[in-house]
Amino acid sequence: MASFKIALLLGVIAFVNACSQAPGTTTTTVTTTVTTVSADDGSEAGLLSAHERSLIRKTWDQAKKDGDVAPQVLFRFVKAHPEYQKMFSKFANVPQSELLSNGNFLAQAYTILAGLNVVIQSLFSQELMANQLNALGGAHQPRGATPVMFEQFGGILEEVLAEELGSGFTAEARQAWKNGLAALVAGIAKNLKKAEDLADPQTKLTPHQIRDVQRSWENIRNDRNALVSSIFVKLFKETPRIQKFFAKFANVAVDSLAGNAEYEKQIALVADRLDTMISAMDDKLQLLGNINYMRYTHTERGIPRAPWEDFSRLLLDVLGSKGVSTDDLDSWKGVLAVFVNGVSPIKK
């Protein structure tokens, strides 16, 4: 009974694989880790009966006879969601008005048709479908696809089938397809990254990281001056030469820094800057502006990368001591790496 879930998944994998092929290429090699699914996996809801699988095969056999079905599905998909057209490198910049006459677009459409045809004709071979899933199930993960994307594609496929088959696409057949597409999304979501785990191409941060860091920071931000001061003291004791970058208190004994007016002013400045950057993480332009400003001002002062890395390490230690969870600390690690790489890039 799990075969339809597996079959449809493979069909859409064919669609995603082709999205990111470089111009001139026709094959995709997959070397990713996937969630293994056995042929008798029946743990998820939405599995289809033999009758429903027969309806799907029957309606598909009728619809695929019309050569316009595949182009219409793909065309409506990218028209409804223009952002996805960029995933198809061979026609990413082709005007939508020209897609239905574009050779690369049509080739892609019929590649999807062929993939769907193969798997739908193999609906009743659970073992074969399970083996194929284990081999190809992770192909879509590194391409940035999300479950929502597959839900949208499936909805458009259903619409085109209804128009193509007319009265032949009965309420019973439509429900069979709905159940199958629901099972598809449930199965594929095991391997797909969620939208919140996809990094912004410019900031390199994910919504998940931003949420974790901002939430955990809110719990301790009122004590940020004391937190930053404790880090500076540890930093200066570990590596005394770092204190020399701060001319106004470079020669003050570390144990005498507390209460020093210039030191306290510097601590407040760093703590507020850190607070500003964390608060701005969900505002891309503001965040990038803050990082660029930090890079410019600190490059002038000749501060190398190592102190930034040490500061990040010590900040993580302090956060852990404050009770920040392991999961949130993982997000902090990613965020601090972005900050350090932005402020003090690795020299190549």
Side-chain angles (χ1 to χ4, degrees):
M1 293 176 68
S3 59
F4 180 73
K5 173 177 63 179
I6 295 170
L8 262 183
L9 174 58
L10 291 173
V12 184
I13 283 173
F15 153 71
V16 179
N17 278 348
C19 288
S20 301
Q21 287 182 0
T25 61
T26 57
T27 60
T28 301
T29 301
V30 178
T31 57
T32 57
T33 301
V34 302
T35 300
T36 301
V37 177
S38 64
D40 59 355
D41 181 6
S43 60
E44 294 179 3
L47 300 183
L48 298 183
S49 66
H51 179 61
E52 287 175 315
R53 284 178 278 167
S54 294
L55 280 175
I56 290 167
R57 178 181 287 181
K58 179 181 178 181
T59 50
W60 177 251
D61 285 345
Q62 293 171 343
K64 71 179 182 181
K65 294 177 182 178
D66 186 341
D68 289 335
V69 168
Q72 279 301 318
V73 172
L74 185 55
F75 177 71
R76 293 191 190 188
F77 180 69
V78 297
K79 185 176 181 180
H81 308 284
E83 66 275 18
Y84 296 151
Q85 186 175 341
K86 299 300 181 182
M87 299 178 69
F88 297 87
S89 59
K90 293 183 180 180
F91 53 87
N93 298 312
V94 175
Q96 288 192 348
S97 60
E98 300 175 11
L99 284 176
L100 288 172
S101 60
N102 180 273
N104 287 324
F105 174 86
L106 293 174
Q108 182 58 66
Y110 290 115
T111 296
I112 295 172
L113 175 69
L116 283 170
N117 185 59
V118 169
V119 294
I120 289 175
Q121 297 307 318
S122 303
L123 283 176
F124 292 94
S125 177
Q126 294 186 5
E127 183 176 359
L128 174 61
M129 291 299 98
N131 288 338
Q132 289 178 317
L133 176 60
N134 291 331
L136 300 176
H140 49 281
Q141 186 183 45
R143 306 187 190 282
T146 65
V148 171
M149 177 180 175
F150 289 89
E151 290 175 355
Q152 294 164 339
F153 183 78
I156 290 172
L157 173 60
E158 182 186 329
E159 289 177 5
V160 174
L161 289 173
E163 293 178 13
E164 178 65 27
L165 298 174
S167 60
F169 198 61
T170 64
E172 189 179 26
R174 181 187 290 271
Q175 190 59 52
W177 277 93
K178 284 184 180 295
N179 291 345
L181 291 168
L184 158 68
V185 174
I188 203 169
K190 289 182 176 181
N191 290 315
L192 280 178
K193 292 183 177 179
K194 298 179 181 179
E196 67 173 11
D197 293 322
L198 298 177
D200 182 275
Q202 289 179 289
T203 67
K204 310 302 181 185
L205 297 177
T206 71
H208 181 88
Q209 289 173 319
I210 292 172
R211 181 197 66 205
D212 288 350
V213 169
Q214 288 183 332
R215 184 190 63 246
S216 54
W217 177 251
E218 190 62 30
N219 294 330
I220 58 178
R221 66 185 297 270
N222 288 338
D223 296 323
R224 60 184 180 275
N225 284 23
L227 183 151
V228 170
S229 181
S230 70
I231 293 174
F232 266 57
V233 168
K234 292 178 182 178
L235 192 61
F236 294 161
K237 287 184 175 181
E238 281 187 2
T239 313
R241 66 177 179 275
I242 294 177
Q243 189 175 344
K244 300 301 180 182
F245 288 109
F246 302 91
K248 294 182 179 181
F249 52 86
N251 298 315
V252 177
V254 174
D255 292 334
S256 300
L257 285 171
N260 179 280
E262 295 298 336
Y263 172 75
E264 297 294 348
K265 186 185 299 185
Q266 182 66 42
I267 290 300
L269 178 65
V270 173
D272 287 345
R273 177 62 62 181
L274 182 60
D275 183 56
T276 297
M277 292 180 70
I278 292 172
S279 299
M281 285 195 299
D282 48 6
D283 184 329
K284 183 191 302 185
L285 293 180
Q286 188 177 352
L287 174 62
L288 293 174
N290 281 322
I291 290 176
N292 288 334
Y293 173 77
M294 293 283 286
R295 180 170 61 229
Y296 173 76
T297 55
H298 288 79
T299 298
E300 281 189 332
R301 295 174 59 191
I303 298 179
R305 180 183 173 89
W308 296 100
E309 294 176 332
D310 290 337
F311 183 90
S312 296
R313 170 177 54 81
L314 293 171
L315 175 55
L316 289 171
D317 290 343
V318 172
L319 292 170
S321 70
K322 295 284 187 181
V324 175
S325 70
T326 301
D327 288 342
D328 285 356
L329 284 176
D330 285 340
S331 292
W332 273 95
K333 289 177 184 177
V335 167
L336 290 173
V338 168
F339 286 179
V340 171
N341 289 333
V343 174
S344 184
I346 296 176
K347 296 181 179 180
K348 298 181 179 180

